[in-house]
Structure formats: C-alpha cells, structure tokens
Amino acid sequence: AWTVRTEPVQLSSISPQIELYAEVENPKQVNLTAVLGADVARVDAREGAGFKKGDLLIALDTRDIDFQIVQQNAQLASLQAQLESEKLQYETDQQALKIEEQMVRIAERSLQRQQDLSNRNLGSREQLDTAEISTQQRYLNLLSRRQSIANHPNRVAQLESSIQQARAQLENSQLDRSRAQVIAPFDGRVSAVEVSVGDRMRSGDLLARIYPDSQLEVRAQLPLRILPLIKQGEGKLNSATGQVVIDGELLNLTLSRLSAEVTAGSAGIDGLFNFTDPNAAPEPGRTLSLKLNLPEVDGLIALPPTALYGTDRIYTVEASRLKAIQVEHL
C-alpha cells in the first residue's frame, strides 16, 4: 500500500488566480519643449527627482524675446498713431471739400465771364484757355478730395486690421515669454533631463520628460483562454483584481480596461490595471510579477498544484485504487 495524500472533493464558488508578468507604465508622460529660440538660463529639474505643481523646472533666457516685444510695441504704437492721423485727415478733408466746391463755383463763374468776353471779342483766346485750365484743375482737385473721403473707410479698416495683427503678434510673444519659465503643471517626477545651462535651444527642442504620480498603470498580457471569464459583452468587464509586491510592499490593483488590439505574434491581449492606492508611485518601466484574481466561478474544486498531472489530469481514490480523471484547469 502506497502512501497517498488526499483531500475531500468540495464544489464551491472560487476566484481562479493566475500569475502574469507585468510592466509599470505611465500613459500621461509629458514632453517639455522650448517655445522659443533662447539659451538655457537655469535647470532645477533633476532626473528621478519629484516636484510639486507650480515648481520651476527650467528657465530660458528672455533677452532675445524682450527685444522683439519692444519692437512690436513700437510697431503697434506707430499703427495706432497712423489711425489717429487718418481720422484727423478725414475731418480735414471734409472741411476742405466745402472749400474745393466753392473754388469750383468761382472758377466756373470766371470761365463764364471769359467766354462772354470772348464771344464779344473783348477778351483774348489765351485768357479763355487759362480760365478753362483753372476750372479743370479745380474739378480734378474736387474729384481727388471726394475720392480721398470715399476711401477713408478702407484705409481705416486696413489700419485696424494691421493693428489687430500687430497686437496678436505682441500677445503671442508675451505668451511665449511667460512660457520661458517652464512651470510644473502637476505633482510628479522627472524621467529625463535633456539640457544643461548654456545650451542654445530652438523652438520645439526637447527640454525634459516628466510624468504625474497619480496616472501610473500596470500592463500585463492576459491569456486568451481567460478572456471569457473577464468579458461580459458590450465592452463591459467583470471585476478582476490583482496584487503585486514592490519593494516588499503588497499593492492592490483593479483591471481598468483591455487593449484595443492584439499585438502580432502574441498569445493574448493586454490588460491595463490601476493602483487602488493613489500614493503608489513605482518607476515606469519596472517589471513585476502580478497575481490576477479572476471573477468567481461556481462549481470549482481547489486543489494543490501537486495534485495536477500534466495539464488536465488528477486522480481520485476509490477503494484504495487511483482513478485518473480529466479536468479543466482554470
């Protein structure tokens, strides 16, 4: 008779557990870039260091853009002066128009007198020509003045458009200057610093990479065979939890969502887990061993791993005899 360890069979509702390899990642990692061409004046960010919202991370030299802002202010003041001058010129043109109209009437009367004298042979042809030229000149001056008055709204609109454009450029430069000081937008940590004091940066150059502590996730590949236990249909998930040990501390996870696609060559789909403790802050890229607790299933039997032979066979003891039984291993 051989010594065999046995356990009574008891069907119950059990949460199957599997062990997965996982990786910490942060989908909210932010790349901080330079918004203007300038030298790096100050670097307070340090790789791996934490920071609080509102802390100064990196500062750029603002002297170049300060000169640009002075020039844009001067340009804006010049355009505003031109607009005021145009309004004053319009008032002057309206007053001058009345004078031009009077001078035209005077010239017309003078021309009429010269024509009368010429018809009576009392005036020379030269005097008549001079009167006609003077009258035509007055017509041209009157026409030019009327055209200037009629074109006043167009000149005003053009100047106002130029002022708006100059003001927009000035505000954009002032905004860029305010961004020369890179301020932390949230509480987090610095994953990389790409610059040093004195570096010359161009607009769009990478300064540093940061991530928030509160947005960390754990990614693990879930075998396709367990997906029916997780999916409820219509994109809903059953409650699945997990645990990981980080630096000797047990941290709990909850399954948040599944990846939208299956990676080529993989035997499963990625599951994304959130830490239940909002203060958990392991380093992104860290690999972990994750124990996943699947939703409870009715009618299961819990056995020690040594009771399973191969992948699908256990033995029962009947009248001191072993009997092999095929089972489904969850």
mmCIF file of all heavy atoms in Angstrom, residues 212-248:
data_model
loop_
_atom_site.group_PDB
_atom_site.id
_atom_site.type_symbol
_atom_site.label_atom_id
_atom_site.label_comp_id
_atom_site.label_asym_id
_atom_site.label_seq_id
_atom_site.Cartn_x
_atom_site.Cartn_y
_atom_site.Cartn_z
ATOM 1 N N PRO A 212 3.083 62.410 -14.118
ATOM 2 C CA PRO A 212 2.397 62.576 -12.830
ATOM 3 C C PRO A 212 2.398 61.288 -12.032
ATOM 4 O O PRO A 212 2.332 60.191 -12.598
ATOM 5 C CB PRO A 212 0.972 62.975 -13.245
ATOM 6 C CG PRO A 212 0.786 62.346 -14.581
ATOM 7 C CD PRO A 212 2.138 62.365 -15.247
ATOM 8 N N ASP A 213 2.462 61.418 -10.714
ATOM 9 C CA ASP A 213 2.450 60.233 -9.851
ATOM 10 C C ASP A 213 1.103 59.520 -9.872
ATOM 11 O O ASP A 213 1.028 58.319 -9.630
ATOM 12 C CB ASP A 213 2.782 60.633 -8.409
ATOM 13 C CG ASP A 213 4.226 61.112 -8.277
ATOM 14 O OD1 ASP A 213 5.056 60.676 -9.094
ATOM 15 O OD2 ASP A 213 4.506 61.916 -7.377
ATOM 16 N N SER A 214 0.042 60.244 -10.131
ATOM 17 C CA SER A 214 -1.303 59.686 -9.965
ATOM 18 C C SER A 214 -1.814 58.947 -11.193
ATOM 19 O O SER A 214 -2.923 58.418 -11.165
ATOM 20 C CB SER A 214 -2.283 60.805 -9.622
ATOM 21 O OG SER A 214 -2.296 61.787 -10.650
ATOM 22 N N GLN A 215 -1.061 58.879 -12.265
ATOM 23 C CA GLN A 215 -1.561 58.298 -13.508
ATOM 24 C C GLN A 215 -0.851 56.996 -13.879
ATOM 25 O O GLN A 215 -0.907 56.547 -15.014
ATOM 26 C CB GLN A 215 -1.412 59.307 -14.658
ATOM 27 C CG GLN A 215 -2.129 60.613 -14.442
ATOM 28 C CD GLN A 215 -3.631 60.444 -14.421
ATOM 29 O OE1 GLN A 215 -4.165 59.571 -15.082
ATOM 30 N NE2 GLN A 215 -4.323 61.274 -13.657
ATOM 31 N N LEU A 216 -0.171 56.365 -12.921
ATOM 32 C CA LEU A 216 0.571 55.145 -13.232
ATOM 33 C C LEU A 216 -0.374 53.974 -13.486
ATOM 34 O O LEU A 216 -1.430 53.859 -12.846
ATOM 35 C CB LEU A 216 1.516 54.804 -12.080
ATOM 36 C CG LEU A 216 2.664 55.793 -11.844
ATOM 37 C CD1 LEU A 216 3.430 55.403 -10.599
ATOM 38 C CD2 LEU A 216 3.597 55.831 -13.044
ATOM 39 N N GLU A 217 0.011 53.108 -14.413
ATOM 40 C CA GLU A 217 -0.753 51.906 -14.742
ATOM 41 C C GLU A 217 0.201 50.718 -14.825
ATOM 42 O O GLU A 217 1.413 50.869 -14.955
ATOM 43 C CB GLU A 217 -1.487 52.069 -16.077
ATOM 44 C CG GLU A 217 -2.583 53.103 -16.064
ATOM 45 C CD GLU A 217 -3.298 53.199 -17.396
ATOM 46 O OE1 GLU A 217 -2.702 52.789 -18.427
ATOM 47 O OE2 GLU A 217 -4.431 53.684 -17.422
ATOM 48 N N VAL A 218 -0.384 49.545 -14.743
ATOM 49 C CA VAL A 218 0.368 48.303 -14.905
ATOM 50 C C VAL A 218 -0.216 47.564 -16.105
ATOM 51 O O VAL A 218 -1.429 47.339 -16.172
ATOM 52 C CB VAL A 218 0.293 47.433 -13.634
ATOM 53 C CG1 VAL A 218 0.957 46.082 -13.884
ATOM 54 C CG2 VAL A 218 0.961 48.143 -12.464
ATOM 55 N N ARG A 219 0.661 47.195 -17.050
ATOM 56 C CA ARG A 219 0.232 46.485 -18.254
ATOM 57 C C ARG A 219 0.688 45.029 -18.170
ATOM 58 O O ARG A 219 1.864 44.761 -17.896
ATOM 59 C CB ARG A 219 0.806 47.148 -19.506
ATOM 60 C CG ARG A 219 0.419 46.466 -20.821
ATOM 61 C CD ARG A 219 1.138 47.114 -21.991
ATOM 62 N NE ARG A 219 0.684 48.476 -22.198
ATOM 63 C CZ ARG A 219 -0.314 48.827 -23.008
ATOM 64 N NH1 ARG A 219 -0.950 47.892 -23.704
ATOM 65 N NH2 ARG A 219 -0.651 50.094 -23.146
ATOM 66 N N ALA A 220 -0.251 44.119 -18.378
ATOM 67 C CA ALA A 220 0.065 42.686 -18.363
ATOM 68 C C ALA A 220 -0.696 42.003 -19.489
ATOM 69 O O ALA A 220 -1.835 42.385 -19.808
ATOM 70 C CB ALA A 220 -0.303 42.064 -17.021
ATOM 71 N N GLN A 221 -0.079 40.996 -20.099
ATOM 72 C CA GLN A 221 -0.738 40.267 -21.177
ATOM 73 C C GLN A 221 -1.616 39.166 -20.583
ATOM 74 O O GLN A 221 -1.139 38.312 -19.837
ATOM 75 C CB GLN A 221 0.289 39.664 -22.122
ATOM 76 C CG GLN A 221 -0.332 39.075 -23.374
ATOM 77 C CD GLN A 221 0.711 38.553 -24.336
ATOM 78 O OE1 GLN A 221 0.984 37.356 -24.376
ATOM 79 N NE2 GLN A 221 1.292 39.456 -25.110
ATOM 80 N N LEU A 222 -2.897 39.198 -20.935
ATOM 81 C CA LEU A 222 -3.859 38.221 -20.438
ATOM 82 C C LEU A 222 -4.016 37.098 -21.465
ATOM 83 O O LEU A 222 -4.266 37.372 -22.649
ATOM 84 C CB LEU A 222 -5.216 38.883 -20.196
ATOM 85 C CG LEU A 222 -5.219 40.123 -19.294
ATOM 86 C CD1 LEU A 222 -6.630 40.678 -19.169
ATOM 87 C CD2 LEU A 222 -4.654 39.801 -17.930
ATOM 88 N N PRO A 223 -3.880 35.839 -21.041
ATOM 89 C CA PRO A 223 -4.082 34.727 -21.992
ATOM 90 C C PRO A 223 -5.495 34.747 -22.567
ATOM 91 O O PRO A 223 -6.464 35.097 -21.883
ATOM 92 C CB PRO A 223 -3.852 33.485 -21.123
ATOM 93 C CG PRO A 223 -3.059 33.972 -19.948
ATOM 94 C CD PRO A 223 -3.504 35.381 -19.695
ATOM 95 N N LEU A 224 -5.593 34.359 -23.828
ATOM 96 C CA LEU A 224 -6.898 34.389 -24.489
ATOM 97 C C LEU A 224 -7.906 33.456 -23.813
ATOM 98 O O LEU A 224 -9.110 33.707 -23.840
ATOM 99 C CB LEU A 224 -6.738 34.007 -25.963
ATOM 100 C CG LEU A 224 -5.917 34.984 -26.823
ATOM 101 C CD1 LEU A 224 -5.769 34.437 -28.237
ATOM 102 C CD2 LEU A 224 -6.560 36.355 -26.847
ATOM 103 N N ARG A 225 -7.422 32.411 -23.162
ATOM 104 C CA ARG A 225 -8.339 31.432 -22.569
ATOM 105 C C ARG A 225 -9.106 31.982 -21.372
ATOM 106 O O ARG A 225 -10.141 31.426 -20.998
ATOM 107 C CB ARG A 225 -7.569 30.178 -22.154
ATOM 108 C CG ARG A 225 -6.505 30.416 -21.093
ATOM 109 C CD ARG A 225 -5.722 29.149 -20.777
ATOM 110 N NE ARG A 225 -4.631 29.372 -19.841
ATOM 111 C CZ ARG A 225 -4.771 29.425 -18.529
ATOM 112 N NH1 ARG A 225 -5.987 29.255 -17.997
ATOM 113 N NH2 ARG A 225 -3.738 29.642 -17.744
ATOM 114 N N ILE A 226 -8.596 33.039 -20.758
ATOM 115 C CA ILE A 226 -9.303 33.583 -19.588
ATOM 116 C C ILE A 226 -10.205 34.763 -19.946
ATOM 117 O O ILE A 226 -10.919 35.275 -19.089
ATOM 118 C CB ILE A 226 -8.315 34.010 -18.482
ATOM 119 C CG1 ILE A 226 -7.538 35.258 -18.929
ATOM 120 C CG2 ILE A 226 -7.384 32.870 -18.109
ATOM 121 C CD1 ILE A 226 -6.730 35.875 -17.817
ATOM 122 N N LEU A 227 -10.159 35.200 -21.211
ATOM 123 C CA LEU A 227 -10.980 36.351 -21.599
ATOM 124 C C LEU A 227 -12.473 36.115 -21.383
ATOM 125 O O LEU A 227 -13.191 37.036 -20.977
ATOM 126 C CB LEU A 227 -10.708 36.735 -23.049
ATOM 127 C CG LEU A 227 -9.319 37.326 -23.340
ATOM 128 C CD1 LEU A 227 -9.213 37.733 -24.800
ATOM 129 C CD2 LEU A 227 -9.037 38.515 -22.445
ATOM 130 N N PRO A 228 -13.013 34.895 -21.643
ATOM 131 C CA PRO A 228 -14.445 34.705 -21.368
ATOM 132 C C PRO A 228 -14.815 34.947 -19.904
ATOM 133 O O PRO A 228 -15.959 35.293 -19.610
ATOM 134 C CB PRO A 228 -14.680 33.244 -21.773
ATOM 135 C CG PRO A 228 -13.625 32.957 -22.790
ATOM 136 C CD PRO A 228 -12.430 33.722 -22.316
ATOM 137 N N LEU A 229 -13.874 34.742 -18.989
ATOM 138 C CA LEU A 229 -14.167 34.990 -17.580
ATOM 139 C C LEU A 229 -14.142 36.479 -17.240
ATOM 140 O O LEU A 229 -14.678 36.897 -16.219
ATOM 141 C CB LEU A 229 -13.151 34.261 -16.698
ATOM 142 C CG LEU A 229 -13.094 32.739 -16.841
ATOM 143 C CD1 LEU A 229 -12.002 32.173 -15.946
ATOM 144 C CD2 LEU A 229 -14.442 32.121 -16.499
ATOM 145 N N ILE A 230 -13.504 37.276 -18.098
ATOM 146 C CA ILE A 230 -13.346 38.712 -17.824
ATOM 147 C C ILE A 230 -14.390 39.536 -18.560
ATOM 148 O O ILE A 230 -14.977 40.474 -18.007
ATOM 149 C CB ILE A 230 -11.927 39.165 -18.208
ATOM 150 C CG1 ILE A 230 -10.905 38.475 -17.311
ATOM 151 C CG2 ILE A 230 -11.790 40.672 -18.110
ATOM 152 C CD1 ILE A 230 -9.470 38.784 -17.670
ATOM 153 N N LYS A 231 -14.646 39.178 -19.808
ATOM 154 C CA LYS A 231 -15.571 39.974 -20.619
ATOM 155 C C LYS A 231 -17.019 39.629 -20.292
ATOM 156 O O LYS A 231 -17.382 38.466 -20.143
ATOM 157 C CB LYS A 231 -15.313 39.751 -22.108
ATOM 158 C CG LYS A 231 -14.019 40.363 -22.611
ATOM 159 C CD LYS A 231 -13.904 40.190 -24.112
ATOM 160 C CE LYS A 231 -12.679 40.860 -24.674
ATOM 161 N NZ LYS A 231 -12.580 40.703 -26.142
ATOM 162 N N GLN A 232 -17.840 40.660 -20.207
ATOM 163 C CA GLN A 232 -19.276 40.474 -20.017
ATOM 164 C C GLN A 232 -20.040 40.700 -21.311
ATOM 165 O O GLN A 232 -21.211 40.394 -21.391
ATOM 166 C CB GLN A 232 -19.795 41.456 -18.957
ATOM 167 C CG GLN A 232 -19.447 41.085 -17.532
ATOM 168 C CD GLN A 232 -20.075 42.035 -16.543
ATOM 169 O OE1 GLN A 232 -20.263 43.218 -16.836
ATOM 170 N NE2 GLN A 232 -20.407 41.545 -15.375
ATOM 171 N N GLY A 233 -19.398 41.255 -22.297
ATOM 172 C CA GLY A 233 -20.104 41.639 -23.522
ATOM 173 C C GLY A 233 -20.353 43.129 -23.541
ATOM 174 O O GLY A 233 -20.423 43.798 -22.498
ATOM 175 N N GLU A 234 -20.482 43.679 -24.750
ATOM 176 C CA GLU A 234 -20.714 45.095 -24.963
ATOM 177 C C GLU A 234 -19.619 45.944 -24.322
ATOM 178 O O GLU A 234 -19.856 47.047 -23.820
ATOM 179 C CB GLU A 234 -22.083 45.536 -24.427
ATOM 180 C CG GLU A 234 -23.253 44.843 -25.109
ATOM 181 C CD GLU A 234 -24.580 45.315 -24.574
ATOM 182 O OE1 GLU A 234 -24.587 46.158 -23.649
ATOM 183 O OE2 GLU A 234 -25.616 44.864 -25.086
ATOM 184 N N GLY A 235 -18.398 45.405 -24.316
ATOM 185 C CA GLY A 235 -17.274 46.165 -23.800
ATOM 186 C C GLY A 235 -17.167 46.244 -22.299
ATOM 187 O O GLY A 235 -16.277 46.902 -21.773
ATOM 188 N N LYS A 236 -18.048 45.573 -21.555
ATOM 189 C CA LYS A 236 -18.007 45.627 -20.091
ATOM 190 C C LYS A 236 -17.097 44.526 -19.561
ATOM 191 O O LYS A 236 -16.955 43.461 -20.154
ATOM 192 C CB LYS A 236 -19.414 45.486 -19.516
ATOM 193 C CG LYS A 236 -20.352 46.629 -19.907
ATOM 194 C CD LYS A 236 -21.720 46.447 -19.280
ATOM 195 C CE LYS A 236 -22.661 47.588 -19.662
ATOM 196 N NZ LYS A 236 -24.005 47.410 -19.062
ATOM 197 N N LEU A 237 -16.491 44.791 -18.393
ATOM 198 C CA LEU A 237 -15.569 43.846 -17.782
ATOM 199 C C LEU A 237 -16.093 43.394 -16.432
ATOM 200 O O LEU A 237 -16.701 44.184 -15.685
ATOM 201 C CB LEU A 237 -14.189 44.489 -17.585
ATOM 202 C CG LEU A 237 -13.471 44.983 -18.841
ATOM 203 C CD1 LEU A 237 -12.161 45.656 -18.463
ATOM 204 C CD2 LEU A 237 -13.214 43.844 -19.813
ATOM 205 N N ASN A 238 -15.875 42.117 -16.121
ATOM 206 C CA ASN A 238 -16.129 41.637 -14.767
ATOM 207 C C ASN A 238 -15.071 42.199 -13.824
ATOM 208 O O ASN A 238 -13.987 42.605 -14.250
ATOM 209 C CB ASN A 238 -16.085 40.105 -14.727
ATOM 210 C CG ASN A 238 -17.365 39.493 -15.272
ATOM 211 O OD1 ASN A 238 -18.455 39.921 -14.931
ATOM 212 N ND2 ASN A 238 -17.224 38.494 -16.136
ATOM 213 N N SER A 239 -15.404 42.243 -12.562
ATOM 214 C CA SER A 239 -14.447 42.746 -11.577
ATOM 215 C C SER A 239 -13.301 41.751 -11.433
ATOM 216 O O SER A 239 -13.499 40.597 -11.058
ATOM 217 C CB SER A 239 -15.130 42.956 -10.230
ATOM 218 O OG SER A 239 -15.702 41.744 -9.770
ATOM 219 N N ALA A 240 -12.097 42.190 -11.764
ATOM 220 C CA ALA A 240 -10.891 41.375 -11.633
ATOM 221 C C ALA A 240 -9.856 42.206 -10.895
ATOM 222 O O ALA A 240 -9.612 43.366 -11.245
ATOM 223 C CB ALA A 240 -10.365 40.935 -12.997
ATOM 224 N N THR A 241 -9.269 41.643 -9.882
ATOM 225 C CA THR A 241 -8.279 42.345 -9.078
ATOM 226 C C THR A 241 -6.951 41.607 -9.129
ATOM 227 O O THR A 241 -6.869 40.465 -9.592
ATOM 228 C CB THR A 241 -8.741 42.469 -7.615
ATOM 229 O OG1 THR A 241 -8.912 41.145 -7.075
ATOM 230 C CG2 THR A 241 -10.072 43.215 -7.535
ATOM 231 N N GLY A 242 -5.921 42.261 -8.669
ATOM 232 C CA GLY A 242 -4.605 41.649 -8.653
ATOM 233 C C GLY A 242 -3.751 42.251 -7.565
ATOM 234 O O GLY A 242 -4.100 43.272 -6.957
ATOM 235 N N GLN A 243 -2.622 41.611 -7.322
ATOM 236 C CA GLN A 243 -1.669 42.101 -6.337
ATOM 237 C C GLN A 243 -0.262 42.010 -6.917
ATOM 238 O O GLN A 243 0.070 41.094 -7.664
ATOM 239 C CB GLN A 243 -1.724 41.273 -5.033
ATOM 240 C CG GLN A 243 -3.021 41.377 -4.252
ATOM 241 C CD GLN A 243 -4.061 40.397 -4.749
ATOM 242 O OE1 GLN A 243 -3.722 39.299 -5.200
ATOM 243 N NE2 GLN A 243 -5.326 40.796 -4.698
ATOM 244 N N VAL A 244 0.540 42.994 -6.554
ATOM 245 C CA VAL A 244 1.959 42.988 -6.889
ATOM 246 C C VAL A 244 2.734 43.361 -5.633
ATOM 247 O O VAL A 244 2.226 44.063 -4.753
ATOM 248 C CB VAL A 244 2.292 43.987 -8.023
ATOM 249 C CG1 VAL A 244 1.662 43.561 -9.337
ATOM 250 C CG2 VAL A 244 1.852 45.396 -7.659
ATOM 251 N N VAL A 245 3.944 42.888 -5.562
ATOM 252 C CA VAL A 245 4.828 43.229 -4.447
ATOM 253 C C VAL A 245 5.935 44.124 -4.989
ATOM 254 O O VAL A 245 6.693 43.721 -5.881
ATOM 255 C CB VAL A 245 5.416 41.963 -3.796
ATOM 256 C CG1 VAL A 245 6.393 42.354 -2.683
ATOM 257 C CG2 VAL A 245 4.310 41.084 -3.244
ATOM 258 N N ILE A 246 6.004 45.353 -4.447
ATOM 259 C CA ILE A 246 7.016 46.320 -4.876
ATOM 260 C C ILE A 246 7.789 46.769 -3.647
ATOM 261 O O ILE A 246 7.203 47.313 -2.701
ATOM 262 C CB ILE A 246 6.365 47.526 -5.585
ATOM 263 C CG1 ILE A 246 5.607 47.074 -6.839
ATOM 264 C CG2 ILE A 246 7.416 48.558 -5.963
ATOM 265 C CD1 ILE A 246 4.900 48.189 -7.565
ATOM 266 N N ASP A 247 9.083 46.525 -3.667
ATOM 267 C CA ASP A 247 9.960 46.896 -2.554
ATOM 268 C C ASP A 247 9.437 46.352 -1.226
ATOM 269 O O ASP A 247 9.428 47.045 -0.197
ATOM 270 C CB ASP A 247 10.103 48.422 -2.477
ATOM 271 C CG ASP A 247 10.723 49.001 -3.734
ATOM 272 O OD1 ASP A 247 11.532 48.296 -4.378
ATOM 273 O OD2 ASP A 247 10.404 50.159 -4.078
ATOM 274 N N GLY A 248 8.937 45.114 -1.275
ATOM 275 C CA GLY A 248 8.458 44.461 -0.065
ATOM 276 C C GLY A 248 7.070 44.876 0.369
ATOM 277 O O GLY A 248 6.567 44.384 1.385
#
